[in-house]
Amino acid sequence: MLDLSDQQPFAQGSNRKCFRHPLDSTRCLKVIRPENITARFERQSPVKRLLGKERLNDNAQELRAHQQRAIQRLLKQGNVALVWAHLPKFYGSTQTSLGMANESELIRCVDGSVAPTLEHLIKTQGLTPDLHRGIDEFLAWLSQTRILTRNLLPHNLVVSDQFDHPRLFLIDGLGAPTIPQALDSVPGWSSRYIKRKIERFQKRLAWEQSHEGLSWEDFQHLR
């Protein structure tokens, strides 16, 4: 069991905390925040509660997401480098002193720092030509591989400068909800699904750069 008792998370969201692996600096550990899952569960309708808490567990969702058809097909075909071109390498789950954790590659920059989110870079430097190139490359990879994701959000993408231009990595939001995932075997369906995700993401980028003072919800309705 990995002891995380003396560590502070380097990042955290509403559902998980991210720690540096105590024995391997190239990896990170994502640990569930069970109190937040309980709070989310209690806010839901009685009908949704019948589905159980497990569907709210981001680590369980991520484990299933890596088993999706597109990823497994590419790995079986030997396209390992293509799969991990824009995803952190994934090593499964491991036991820690804070509970089970998902273990994956820690994306860093040339200076060794943890790679910043796309959201942070947009806010601090705007969408530069190099960053645009990185975004276009990521979206082309998504269309090529047909790897399913949830809605693409700038805070779920990090940007590394260890390449000849900024490279994006999806660190959260991999996989699709149950029904879209089940439809993946329908010819042409995944391509249409990904096209919609890309269009929504491009709208989100426009909102991130907007100075109109609109909420994301209002911005979507106006465009």
Side-chain angles (χ1 to χ4, degrees):
M1 181 175 70
L2 298 171
D3 185 9
L4 301 179
S5 59
D6 62 344
Q7 286 208 40
Q8 294 296 318
F10 67 83
Q12 64 182 40
S14 58
N15 301 320
R16 296 192 284 187
K17 294 181 179 180
C18 300
F19 296 86
R20 292 176 176 83
H21 194 297
L23 304 179
D24 189 340
S25 62
T26 68
R27 299 187 182 190
C28 76
L29 300 165
K30 298 177 183 177
V31 179
I32 287 293
R33 303 177 66 178
E35 72 283 2
N36 287 20
I37 291 179
T38 299
R40 287 172 62 197
F41 182 75
E42 291 176 350
R43 288 196 301 267
Q44 294 196 322
S45 68
V47 173
K48 286 189 175 181
R49 288 185 198 175
L50 293 174
L51 300 174
K53 285 185 182 180
E54 185 65 12
R55 66 189 183 82
L56 302 178
N57 185 317
D58 285 10
N59 276 0
Q61 290 178 7
E62 190 171 64
L63 286 167
R64 287 194 296 271
H66 279 90
Q67 295 302 313
Q68 66 173 276
R69 207 163 66 103
I71 291 178
Q72 294 305 308
R73 182 186 67 245
L74 289 167
L75 292 176
K76 287 177 183 176
Q77 292 172 347
N79 294 314
V80 178
L82 180 60
V83 170
W84 306 124
H86 296 280
L87 289 176
K89 295 182 180 68
F90 189 67
Y91 304 106
S93 59
T94 188
Q95 184 68 52
T96 78
S97 57
L98 298 178
M100 293 301 294
N102 280 3
E103 185 174 344
S104 60
E105 178 185 10
L106 178 57
I107 306 300
R108 295 182 181 271
C109 291
V110 170
D111 63 4
S113 62
V114 176
T117 65
L118 177 60
E119 179 182 58
H120 172 76
L121 292 180
I122 291 174
K123 288 179 178 178
T124 57
Q125 66 182 46
L127 276 177
T128 64
D130 273 352
L131 202 50
H132 262 298
R133 181 182 175 188
I135 291 170
D136 289 344
E137 180 185 71
F138 169 74
L139 297 179
W141 168 84
L142 207 59
S143 297
Q144 176 188 2
T145 61
R146 301 203 302 277
I147 290 174
L148 301 183
T149 73
R150 294 175 183 267
N151 289 333
L152 298 167
L153 300 171
H155 65 264
N156 287 339
L157 289 155
V158 298
V159 184
S160 175
D161 63 357
Q162 295 195 61
F163 307 88
D164 60 354
H165 59 275
R167 180 175 292 188
L168 275 64
F169 289 84
L170 183 69
I171 59 167
D172 200 2
L174 182 67
T178 303
I179 293 176
Q181 189 71 62
L183 292 171
D184 186 33
S185 59
V186 177
W189 185 89
S190 61
S191 295
R192 293 192 295 273
Y193 177 88
I194 290 167
K195 182 174 182 291
R196 291 195 300 271
K197 293 301 178 186
I198 288 174
E199 290 172 350
R200 181 183 174 89
F201 178 59
Q202 290 170 331
K203 186 179 291 186
R204 178 74 183 216
L205 291 178
W207 176 74
E208 294 280 351
Q209 300 173 84
S210 171
H211 301 289
E212 299 173 25
L214 296 173
S215 68
W216 168 231
E217 290 73 19
D218 290 340
F219 187 85
Q220 292 178 85
H221 294 150
L222 292 177
R223 295 299 190 275

